[in-house]
Amino acid sequence: MEWLASFFPVVQAVFATLFTWGVTALGAGLVFFFKSINKTVLNGMLGFAAGVMIAASFWSLLAPAIEMAEDLGQLAWLTAAVGFLAGGAFLWAVDVTLPHLHMGLERDQAEGIKTGWQRSVLLVLAITLHNIPEGLAVGVAFGAAAFDLPSASLAGATALALGIGLQNFPEGAAVSIPLRREGFSRTKAFLYGQASGIVEPIAGFLGAFAVISMQPILPYALAFAAGAMIYVVVEELIPEAQNHTGGNSTNVATIGCMVGFAVMMILDVALG
């Protein structure tokens, strides 16, 4: 029973990431009500998601990583830097390897290893890249809460899951509705849109399992998740939010980012 109890944080992480996946599916479900999405609205959604991820990277991941490294007698700045850069390097390796295609681009502009996969699969894989660090971050946070450290609490991990869930709603819509506009049926667009979030429970399980199995890597794991999320924000979300914009559209993306950051910061400070 003690062995089973020690792995309860993994169960919590899986349920939390199933929640974030479910919110992705809810967002994707908007395709049953709308056939298209205004570019300005989409930019605001992407900006909001970027703001949430930036705030979560610091408040929920990097700051606790630094505190834990100090508690464990590690050189805190080095631990945080190594983990952070490793997370970015991991996402870079996935980005240049996994075939994927960003919305609005032609099939021959797909990134990663060349493949004959269908355009729809490549579009979903592009969004799936976003969700790997999100699931990993939630899993690591719940794993960290198991050690009953001041800088890592169950409430803080729950706040992170809520924040990721909030930004997954517009993200799900940002996948399914453009697919519908490209000619997919509503059902197929929904299925593809929600499928982009399936990686989150997998990454959440792996993250929680790793940190409860090897406590010394915990600060590195938190910083790793932060680095991976910042990579996604800079490489994917912000460029997509600012691409092909005009008038007030760019401002909406920026405001969305500010609001997303504030919401995630409030959640973490108030609940964590």
Side-chain angles (χ1 to χ4, degrees):
M1 292 299 294
E2 290 183 6
W3 179 87
L4 184 63
S6 66
F7 282 89
F8 185 62
V10 177
V11 177
Q12 292 176 313
V14 170
F15 275 104
T17 46
L18 284 173
F19 161 74
T20 60
W21 178 21
V23 179
T24 302
L26 285 176
L30 290 180
V31 74
F32 292 107
F33 304 98
F34 305 98
K35 185 175 181 179
S36 62
I37 183 169
N38 183 276
K39 178 60 178 172
T40 300
V41 174
L42 178 60
N43 289 342
M45 289 179 172
L46 292 172
F48 180 86
V52 168
M53 293 179 71
I54 292 170
S57 295
F58 176 74
W59 295 99
S60 300
L61 299 170
L62 267 182
I66 293 171
E67 291 182 33
M68 290 177 195
E70 292 173 344
D71 292 340
L72 293 171
Q74 299 173 358
L75 200 56
W77 64 266
L78 181 61
T79 297
V82 169
F84 183 84
L85 294 176
F90 170 74
L91 256 291
W92 171 82
V94 174
D95 188 52
V96 299
T97 303
L98 183 69
H100 61 284
L101 177 67
H102 298 293
M103 292 289 178
L105 299 182
E106 298 298 326
R107 173 64 179 76
D108 58 5
Q109 293 179 286
E111 300 178 17
I113 296 174
K114 299 302 179 183
T115 178
W117 293 350
Q118 293 181 356
R119 173 183 172 84
S120 57
V121 174
L122 295 174
L123 289 169
V124 173
L125 286 176
I127 304 300
T128 301
L129 281 175
H130 299 181
N131 293 324
I132 293 175
E134 294 170 12
L136 181 64
V138 173
V140 169
F142 275 94
F147 295 104
D148 200 25
L149 298 171
S151 54
S153 65
L154 182 60
T158 302
L160 176 60
L162 287 173
I164 295 298
L166 277 175
Q167 66 94 34
N168 274 358
F169 183 82
E171 194 170 80
V175 181
S176 63
I177 293 178
L179 286 177
R180 171 63 176 160
R181 191 173 61 245
E182 292 194 13
F184 285 71
S185 69
R186 284 187 169 87
T187 300
K188 190 173 182 180
F190 166 75
L191 291 175
Y192 275 103
Q194 64 82 33
S196 66
I198 196 172
V199 71
E200 291 193 6
I202 299 171
F205 170 82
L206 294 175
F209 181 80
V211 299
I212 68 171
S213 301
M214 298 170 284
Q215 182 179 3
I217 74 166
L218 180 52
Y220 291 97
L222 287 165
F224 181 96
M229 291 222 293
I230 291 297
Y231 182 92
V232 167
V233 170
V234 177
E235 171 70 14
E236 308 287 350
L237 293 180
I238 290 178
E240 287 183 17
Q242 301 287 339
N243 191 28
H244 299 119
T245 59
N248 292 324
S249 190
T250 300
N251 292 335
V252 169
T254 303
I255 293 169
C257 184
M258 298 290 291
V259 172
F261 186 98
V263 167
M264 185 64 236
M265 179 180 64
I266 291 169
L267 280 174
D268 191 88
V269 175
L271 299 180

